[in-house]
Amino acid sequence: MKRTQRFKRVSKPKKSIPESEPDEDSAANRSTQLLKSISTRIKPKRPKILSLPPPTSLTFDQMTILPREFFQIDALDLAPRLLGKFLKRDNVVLQITEVEAYRPNDSACHGRFGITARTAPVFGPGGHAYVYLCYGLHTMLNVVADKEGIGAAVLIRSCAPISGMDTIQERRGQKTEKPALLNGPGKIGQALGISTEWSNHPLHSPGGLELLDGPEPEKILVGPRVGIDYALPEHVSALWRFAIAGTAWISAPKNTLRPP
């Protein structure tokens, strides 16, 4: 990196230099005045501080909750439309950066088991939450898609923090602002402080856990879904994973994502 030239070359004085040496006090005064003059003319540039600015001038209480109709479409259409939207609970607001679609007749979808006590919310109307435990440890948040009885949902894989960082860190048990804080579906459930009791919660109603409108990303990435080796080959290779291009807030593996 090139060094910034802080001082200009001083031109020769037009007045002649007196023959007698100046006394120490006058020399010191002139030196002080010269330095002040230079410092007022040349101001070093301050480095830009990169931060995550608020996405809107509105407060989140003023932002629009997505209507019920927004969710009642095919999960494959809903998934990319959720990118850039906001999840809000209490003082925590997360922006969705990565999702996966799960459809009817999909050998990786929980709907393949039919309606059970666990999967019943998946068959409800679009716009509700479907929350389940993975390996009995990780709370996974899904957004139910399509009409009632279809059995489809979108898994929230990763988010970026927008507000409530202290609460997020406390719930996660991690004092970091790096993407590792929210780059995985289990981390999202933990950061929001939800449990399976939130399953079937309406995300389009005020209060509790809400889904707010947000900006559409300029570019997205697509790839195969993660951790579904048990599914049929055509479903393993299906490009039903979506992420915002250019963000660090996405989960591994990243090398399977590419422009559509």
Side-chain angles (χ1 to χ4, degrees):
M1 184 171 65
K2 294 183 179 179
R3 294 184 177 179
T4 305
Q5 186 175 352
R6 295 176 59 88
F7 301 99
K8 296 180 180 179
R9 181 175 293 180
V10 181
S11 58
K12 293 182 179 180
K14 295 180 180 180
K15 295 182 179 180
S16 59
I17 300 174
E19 295 181 1
S20 59
E21 285 291 325
D23 58 82
E24 292 182 1
D25 289 338
S26 60
N29 289 336
R30 279 197 291 271
S31 298
T32 301
Q33 291 173 357
L34 178 61
L35 289 173
K36 284 183 179 179
S37 175
I38 294 173
S39 63
T40 55
R41 291 199 306 267
I42 304 175
K43 295 183 178 180
K45 294 182 179 180
R46 294 181 179 180
K48 292 182 179 179
I49 300 174
L50 300 178
S51 60
L52 192 62
T56 176
S57 58
L58 296 174
T59 65
F60 287 101
D61 290 333
Q62 296 172 311
M63 290 181 67
T64 305
I65 298 178
L66 293 169
R68 185 195 310 262
E69 296 73 27
F70 176 87
F71 306 95
Q72 296 186 358
I73 57 176
D74 191 301
L76 198 56
D77 296 320
L78 178 61
R81 290 185 67 187
L82 285 174
L83 295 176
K85 303 299 186 281
F86 301 101
L87 285 163
K88 177 180 179 292
R89 187 193 170 212
D90 301 327
N91 68 319
V92 171
V93 178
L94 309 179
Q95 186 170 36
I96 300 172
T97 55
E98 182 188 358
V99 296
E100 288 178 345
Y102 290 85
R103 307 174 75 202
N105 302 318
D106 175 5
S107 58
C109 180
H110 286 186
R112 71 187 186 277
F113 298 120
I115 299 177
T116 66
R118 181 198 192 198
T119 65
V122 179
F123 291 90
H128 286 68
Y130 168 48
V131 185
Y132 68 90
L133 279 180
C134 182
Y135 303 119
L137 296 172
H138 308 295
T139 305
M140 316 285 267
L141 173 62
N142 298 258
V143 178
V144 177
D146 224 316
K147 303 294 190 292
E148 187 171 2
I150 297 296
V154 177
L155 173 67
I156 308 299
R157 280 202 64 85
S158 297
C159 290
I162 300 300
S163 71
M165 179 62 84
D166 290 341
T167 304
I168 295 169
Q169 292 173 337
E170 182 180 353
R171 288 172 176 169
R172 289 279 296 112
Q174 280 190 310
K175 201 70 176 177
T176 180
E177 295 183 3
K178 294 182 178 180
L181 190 66
L182 292 169
N183 64 349
K187 299 176 181 181
I188 304 306
Q190 194 175 19
L192 290 169
I194 60 174
S195 65
T196 54
E197 294 180 359
W198 286 84
S199 209
N200 211 34
H201 174 80
L203 301 169
H204 48 74
S205 297
L209 182 61
E210 304 169 355
L211 245 170
L212 308 177
D213 199 5
E216 181 180 345
E218 293 182 5
K219 296 180 181 179
I220 68 170
L221 303 173
V222 300
R225 295 171 293 180
V226 181
I228 58 166
D229 296 338
Y230 54 83
L232 295 175
E234 61 265 33
H235 295 146
V236 171
S237 60
L239 304 180
W240 293 354
R241 178 186 176 201
F242 304 88
I244 296 179
T247 180
W249 299 86
I250 55 176
S251 65
K254 298 180 181 180
N255 58 0
T256 60
L257 292 166
R258 64 175 187 268

